[in-house]
Amino acid sequence: MEEASLDSVQDITVQDRRKFQEIESDGLDDQNSDQIESDELFVQNGAEMESDDQNCVTDGQKEFVAPAVGMEFESYDDAYNYYNCYAREVGFRVRVKNSWFKRNSREKYGAVLCCSSQGFKRIKDVNRLRKETRTGCPAMMRMRMVDSKRWRVLEVTLEHNHSLGAKVYKSIKKTGVGNKMKLDSNCNAEVRTIKLYRALVIDAGANRNANFSASRCKSSSDCHNKLNLRKGDAQAMYNYFCRMQLTNPNFFYLMDLNDEGQLRNVFWIDARSRAAFAYFVDVIYIDNLYLSNKYEIPLVAFVGTNHHGQSMLLACGLLAGETKASYAWLFKAWLTCSLGRFPQTIITERCNVLETAISEVFPRSLHRFALSHIMRKVPEKLGGLRNYDVIRKALIKTIYESLKPFDFEAAWRFMIQRFGVGDHEWLCSLYNDRAKWAPVYLKDTFFAGMATARSNETLTAFFDKYVHKQTPLKEFLDKYELALQKKFKEEALADVESRNSNPELKTRCSFELQLSNAYTREIFKRFQLEVEEMYSCFSTTQLHVDGQVIIFLVKERVLEEGNRREIRDYEVLYNKAAAEVRCICSCFNFYGYLCRHALCVLNFNGVEEIPSKYILSRWKKDYKRLCASDLESSSTESTEQVQWFNQLYRSALQVVEEGMISLDHYKVALNAFEESLSRVHHIEEKT
């Protein structure tokens, strides 16, 4: 790992440990303070859980999150202890009103906990001397054990119909002798429950009035210093993280707190995305659409592209605001779980704050602006100008048809002078940044198909069909799962289709036959189009010879608007000795395969097979299998056991993803796992 990245991660954890310790020392009771262990930014990574979720303070006081529908607990005792601790803080005592047990096993599966003032005396007890203390109080919490063996809260009533006293330190619970001994010997159970719910209280207390509007913020810095969450959002997020930790051993998340202990930024990545990251880290798109456009969810998504050219989620984050500090924290969090691996190319919207944060955290990565984002702003920025339609067409022609920087500069200058927009602020700033977004300047940058270098291409938001501007966080967490399931199923189906079907050949060109056996089905279809369009290139002539390098001119009839054809010239450099070919259109760097012009030059020179350097492994059918061994052998940062785990996990995950396609796939995958486990156990028996 890079030393700089290690230092940056250490900076995060040390600072937040100090902040968290200060918060802890202010609000904990003396009797619990020696049992609480402060920690980093709530780092949790599969089995390696470095944080100790504890009960946080708000406004200088210890406070519990009130019970709410949807809360989940590891066991009945945890649920009871939680409600008991909450009752102590509020000032009432707890009684078990009802319990339900399974008929055969006598295992408890449901219960109602209530205030000790619930109900009234029975008629036969009315004349007893003991004073009536019950008031028919409705306060209660009903819960039930669900399929995951966790206890979920199904119904809650918080209101009491009597005055609440000072904090109560004794509650009513009917127990047998054995249970009493267990409770006496395990006096720390309630403390453990306090720790379990600390992450919830951070948000519920600190962001108690989270549904405020932007106009109610004291300053923009206040708005950007904590997450703006609705009531119940923190609880939903906490429950989601807990559930993922139970079912997803490689799930990873980080939480960032401000100086007041309020939740400020969050980062998470599920196991499948982590596995995908190991393969497809070369080019990433940082999608901040939901944050910059002021959606209800301040979401930032890390998006990549897989070996089928499908978009894939690599991580997610929630940020308090569009600040350099928030973005830098998010990027450092990403580096933490990726063991410091830097992307080759990072694509974002055109944003100065993002640019500064990326240059600080990813100094070795090439940062480029998404051209499709810029073009979407053209109506907004230029719509008020006279001759807008003509200006827009001139801008599109300048951007997408310029093959050399000289062509771009001349066309831009002509557009500015002709329409008198030389002093237009947005166009001037756009021109100053041209080296980061104009295709003519990006020909040495590898984009893996995410360049949007053609006028009909665009980068769409990963959750485009799942999130609208008013989607609340609780709803998004459910849709997040649906979106990921759909994407992983699409990839698994594409894997099966690529391996089990032979694509139809449309020409007699040897290049088409060669790559039909190598590329995934979708990537081959894209390359096949280039082979077909070789026939629109009607002339290949030699222009110039410079030592081993020969420059060819390829003429192509390009289809324009109105079905008219325009002839364009493309220069292609060819070095036979080095087996190198490069076209001025730079299709290979933009999309990862050779263009029709380069293929024409290879064909003209009698080359029957594409050189191996132009057949990228990332597009191959068996890329994950080929890449897995390379990842294992190249890892010097991890222990041998960690390498084993990562390799086994990635391999198993491929079986899981394809096993979900159909019932037949599921049966085969399950049998394979059972057989493998049996063989592993057999080795244990031998030793």
Side-chain angles (χ1 to χ4, degrees):
M1 188 191 301
E2 292 291 321
E3 185 175 346
S5 64
L6 278 170
D7 293 341
S8 63
V9 172
Q10 185 67 20
D11 289 343
I12 302 178
T13 56
V14 170
Q15 291 171 7
D16 280 272
R17 182 186 293 113
R18 289 173 182 164
K19 295 175 188 176
F20 193 60
Q21 286 173 337
E22 290 171 3
I23 299 166
E24 295 287 336
S25 61
D26 290 339
L28 292 173
D29 288 345
D30 292 338
Q31 61 180 345
N32 291 338
S33 60
D34 61 338
Q35 302 179 43
I36 305 295
E37 300 173 4
S38 61
D39 195 42
E40 313 183 335
L41 327 88
F42 293 101
V43 182
Q44 297 203 17
N45 180 8
E48 183 182 328
M49 296 177 61
E50 297 177 348
S51 70
D52 194 1
D53 294 336
Q54 304 158 0
N55 184 28
C56 189
V57 294
T58 59
D59 302 327
Q61 291 183 333
K62 185 174 72 174
E63 185 176 330
F64 272 77
V65 178
V69 173
M71 274 187 173
E72 290 189 355
F73 301 84
E74 298 294 331
S75 66
Y76 168 78
D77 285 341
D78 280 348
Y80 176 85
N81 288 327
Y82 160 74
Y83 195 61
N84 196 22
C85 292
Y86 164 74
R88 290 182 180 184
E89 292 299 312
V90 174
F92 69 96
R93 295 190 297 178
V94 176
R95 178 161 54 85
V96 180
K97 180 182 179 183
N98 295 107
S99 295
W100 291 272
F101 297 83
K102 293 181 181 179
R103 181 171 301 175
N104 297 327
S105 63
R106 299 301 297 165
E107 179 186 13
K108 184 181 291 188
Y109 69 88
V112 175
L113 306 181
C114 66
C115 173
S116 61
S117 296
Q118 192 271 344
F120 297 95
K121 272 188 179 181
R122 292 173 295 182
I123 296 176
K124 65 179 181 179
D125 295 331
V126 169
N127 294 325
R128 291 188 180 179
L129 295 177
R130 193 169 125 186
K131 183 181 177 182
E132 172 65 280
T133 58
R134 300 192 186 186
T135 62
C137 179
M140 52 78 72
M141 181 176 81
R142 182 168 65 88
M143 54 190 180
R144 181 185 178 92
M145 186 168 64
V146 292
D147 293 340
S148 60
K149 299 299 180 183
R150 293 162 65 85
W151 282 73
R152 180 180 299 162
V153 177
L154 303 178
E155 182 181 354
V156 171
T157 302
L158 298 178
E159 295 77 17
H160 296 260
N161 63 1
H162 56 92
S163 59
L164 299 173
K167 293 181 181 179
V168 180
Y169 292 96
K170 183 178 180 181
S171 288
I172 302 170
K173 183 177 181 182
K174 295 181 180 180
T175 60
V177 176
N179 285 337
K180 286 182 180 179
M181 291 176 63
K182 179 181 177 182
L183 290 173
D184 292 339
S185 63
N186 195 11
C187 60
N188 289 328
E190 292 173 0
V191 175
R192 288 200 303 273
T193 304
I194 292 173
K195 294 181 182 181
L196 177 65
Y197 274 83
R198 178 164 295 277
L200 266 176
V201 182
I202 286 172
D203 178 70
N207 289 349
R208 189 183 310 279
N209 298 317
N211 284 325
F212 58 89
S213 63
S215 62
R216 292 175 58 187
C217 291
K218 294 180 181 178
S219 67
S220 61
S221 61
D222 291 337
C223 293
H224 294 160
N225 199 37
K226 65 179 179 180
L227 274 178
N228 181 15
L229 299 177
R230 286 185 177 185
K231 182 179 180 181
D233 280 351
Q235 180 180 303
M237 183 164 53
Y238 179 77
N239 284 347
Y240 173 75
F241 287 163
C242 286
R243 186 173 75 251
M244 293 303 293
Q245 290 267 285
L246 287 172
T247 60
N248 205 324
N250 221 19
F251 184 83
F252 178 99
Y253 73 88
L254 292 171
M255 289 185 177
D256 174 38
L257 312 177
N258 63 19
D259 292 335
E260 289 74 40
Q262 299 166 324
L263 193 57
R264 181 168 51 193
N265 303 306
V266 181
F267 169 86
W268 75 92
I269 177 172
D270 65 89
R272 286 173 171 174
S273 294
R274 271 186 104 173
F277 172 84
Y279 302 115
F280 306 109
V281 69
D282 49 359
V283 182
I284 65 167
Y285 162 47
I286 298 176
D287 179 11
N288 67 336
L289 167 72
Y290 312 100
L291 179 63
S292 60
N293 287 6
K294 311 302 180 189
Y295 276 57
E296 183 75 22
I297 314 166
L299 177 70
V300 176
F302 294 77
V303 182
T305 182
N306 65 13
H307 52 314
H308 301 287
Q310 301 167 334
S311 64
M312 55 191 309
L313 188 68
L314 298 177
C316 274
L318 300 175
L319 298 187
E322 285 191 281
T323 65
K324 179 202 163 190
S326 287
Y327 280 124
W329 180 90
L330 183 69
F331 299 154
K332 290 174 183 177
W334 196 63
L335 281 177
T336 301
C337 76
S338 66
L339 298 179
R341 295 182 63 194
F342 285 79
Q344 181 178 338
T345 306
I346 299 175
I347 306 170
T348 71
E349 73 164 348
R350 187 165 161 261
C351 171
N352 291 333
V353 176
L354 261 174
E355 187 174 8
T356 305
I358 288 172
S359 64
E360 177 185 302
V361 183
F362 301 111
R364 295 192 304 166
S365 300
L366 298 174
H367 180 206
R368 302 294 182 251
F369 299 147
L371 178 55
S372 61
H373 286 23
I374 293 173
M375 298 310 293
R376 276 202 293 264
K377 291 187 177 181
V378 169
E380 172 194 344
K381 300 295 185 179
L382 305 181
L385 298 176
R386 289 182 57 195
N387 301 318
Y388 162 71
D389 289 334
V390 183
I391 295 174
R392 176 179 168 275
K393 288 181 179 179
L395 181 63
I396 290 173
K397 188 176 182 66
T398 300
I399 292 172
Y400 293 107
E401 295 184 14
S402 298
L403 291 175
K404 298 179 181 179
F406 175 81
D407 299 334
F408 179 88
E409 299 288 343
W412 188 279
R413 192 163 50 248
F414 176 78
M415 177 185 69
I416 293 296
Q417 293 173 354
R418 179 183 176 187
F419 300 108
V421 289
D423 58 349
H424 192 280
E425 184 178 352
W426 186 71
L427 284 175
C428 288
S429 66
L430 202 61
Y431 178 77
N432 292 335
D433 289 338
R434 64 193 181 282
K436 286 203 166 187
W437 60 265
V440 71
Y441 294 102
L442 306 181
K443 293 181 178 179
D444 292 326
T445 304
F446 180 67
F447 285 98
M450 300 179 75
T452 64
R454 296 166 184 161
S455 58
N456 61 340
E457 297 171 335
T458 184
L459 278 176
T460 56
F462 185 85
F463 297 104
D464 185 42
K465 296 179 181 179
Y466 298 89
V467 177
H468 52 76
K469 217 155 189 180
Q470 283 76 41
T471 300
L473 179 60
K474 288 185 285 187
E475 182 181 335
F476 166 71
L477 291 174
D478 293 331
K479 291 186 174 182
Y480 171 88
E481 285 293 298
L482 291 175
L484 259 63
Q485 289 291 345
K486 181 182 178 184
K487 288 291 184 180
F488 290 130
K489 187 170 183 180
E490 286 175 354
E491 180 178 335
L493 286 168
D495 280 336
V496 172
E497 188 178 45
S498 294
R499 286 199 305 268
N500 299 334
S501 63
N502 296 318
E504 178 187 354
L505 300 183
K506 297 184 178 180
T507 71
R508 295 182 179 181
C509 180
S510 59
F511 303 143
E512 184 184 14
L513 176 62
Q514 177 189 5
L515 294 191
S516 67
N517 298 318
Y519 281 168
T520 60
R521 187 176 181 84
E522 177 58 32
I523 299 302
F524 174 72
K525 285 169 64 178
R526 299 179 189 182
F527 171 74
Q528 189 178 46
L529 181 61
E530 295 299 320
V531 175
E532 290 183 87
E533 291 298 321
M534 286 174 64
Y535 296 99
S536 65
C537 302
F538 61 91
S539 174
T540 302
T541 57
Q542 183 175 308
L543 279 184
H544 179 69
V545 178
D546 184 7
Q548 296 287 334
V549 178
I550 305 174
I551 301 176
F552 288 89
L553 181 68
V554 178
K555 291 183 176 291
E556 180 188 8
R557 290 188 181 92
V558 180
L559 186 65
E560 294 290 332
E561 292 183 14
N563 289 327
R564 63 184 182 86
R565 293 273 180 174
E566 178 182 305
I567 297 176
R568 292 187 194 165
D569 296 340
Y570 294 88
E571 292 181 7
V572 181
L573 276 65
Y574 177 62
N575 185 333
K576 183 177 182 180
E580 291 182 353
V581 61
R582 179 168 180 175
C583 179
I584 197 170
C585 76
S586 198
C587 177
F588 183 77
N589 277 340
F590 286 148
Y591 302 102
Y593 45 80
L594 289 179
C595 63
R596 60 201 71 174
H597 320 112
L599 296 176
C600 282
V601 169
L602 290 177
N603 187 60
F604 181 84
N605 286 275
V607 178
E608 295 185 355
E609 286 194 351
I610 294 174
S612 58
K613 67 176 70 176
Y614 299 111
I615 305 175
L616 296 184
S617 294
R618 79 170 334 277
W619 299 139
K620 291 184 177 180
K621 300 176 182 180
D622 54 353
Y623 172 62
K624 288 187 176 181
R625 295 192 183 96
L626 294 172
C627 186
S629 57
D630 294 338
L631 289 171
E632 183 179 5
S633 60
S634 64
S635 176
T636 58
E637 306 291 340
S638 306
T639 64
E640 191 176 43
Q641 285 77 12
V642 171
Q643 292 180 34
W644 292 349
F645 174 85
N646 289 336
Q647 175 58 34
L648 287 169
Y649 190 84
R650 281 191 291 266
S651 299
L653 194 57
Q654 292 180 51
V655 181
V656 170
E657 290 174 355
E658 295 193 20
M660 295 166 55
I661 295 175
S662 69
L663 180 59
D664 289 338
H665 286 80
Y666 163 75
K667 289 178 179 178
V668 171
L670 187 60
N671 288 336
F673 278 131
E674 290 174 349
E675 182 181 346
S676 298
L677 188 60
S678 175
R679 293 171 66 181
V680 171
H681 288 166
H682 185 61
I683 294 174
E684 292 179 356
E685 292 170 2
K686 283 184 177 181
T687 57

